[in-house]
Amino acid sequence: TFVETIGSKGTGPGHFDDPHGIAFGTDNNIYITDMHNSRIQVFNSNDTLIREWGSFGNGTGQFSETAPGVAIDNNNHVFVVDKIYGRVQLFDTKGNYLAAWGSPGKGTEQLNKPEDIAVDNHGAIYITDTKNSRIQILNLVR
């Protein structure tokens, strides 16, 4: 049964231009990648926008375009795939940048058009390295 929608097409807060990935945090918030707006938007359980972060670029906390990939681990780390720059950026649930890894290429820890990401219950990170036709598995060093 249809319940409701979140957002509509556009560039303003609460709007989307190619939404892709969805992840749910332990805070019950919904984290959505907004690909062509190069950002993450966070909605509460009432579907109200509570924060957003990111902008277009290749700097810290910026995205060329986010891909379908967003995942949240049990420690509330938010992992976001950056498709064009071949990297994963790590944030806390408030959108504060924590770290990044990866670069474009074919080598170990290099990514070519990564599309998705998942974190298992043991903290292993799985990244679809699409154009390299492989899955890379990493562990977050704590």
Side-chain angles (χ1 to χ4, degrees):
T1 303
F2 175 80
V3 176
E4 65 182 303
T5 61
I6 299 173
S8 59
K9 183 156 179 67
T11 59
H15 295 108
F16 297 102
D17 188 359
D18 258 352
H20 276 280
I22 298 175
F24 295 88
T26 58
D27 55 8
N28 292 319
N29 290 333
I30 308 164
Y31 296 74
I32 304 172
T33 59
D34 187 4
M35 192 165 88
H36 291 128
N37 286 323
S38 302
R39 65 185 174 190
I40 306 302
Q41 295 197 73
V42 183
F43 296 81
N44 65 20
S45 58
N46 295 322
D47 303 333
T48 301
L49 178 68
I50 57 172
R51 80 180 56 87
E52 62 180 274
W53 72 82
S55 61
F56 182 77
N58 66 355
T60 297
Q62 295 181 312
F63 306 101
S64 59
E65 60 181 28
T66 57
V70 60
I72 302 173
D73 71 7
N74 293 333
N75 294 311
N76 290 316
H77 294 115
V78 180
F79 301 83
V80 183
V81 174
D82 191 323
K83 183 177 179 177
I84 301 303
Y85 294 123
R87 65 183 176 179
V88 175
Q89 294 192 67
L90 178 64
F91 301 89
D92 65 19
T93 55
K94 302 289 185 200
N96 297 307
Y97 173 86
L98 301 174
W101 65 91
S103 61
K106 296 180 180 184
T108 301
E109 294 186 39
Q110 290 186 314
L111 302 164
N112 188 357
K113 304 277 197 252
E115 295 266 340
D116 208 356
I117 188 165
V119 182
D120 71 15
N121 291 333
H122 304 289
I125 304 156
Y126 296 76
I127 305 165
T128 59
D129 191 4
T130 305
K131 294 297 181 182
N132 284 328
S133 298
R134 63 187 180 183
I135 306 298
Q136 291 207 47
I137 305 168
L138 305 169
N139 281 315
L140 183 64
V141 178
R142 297 190 165 112

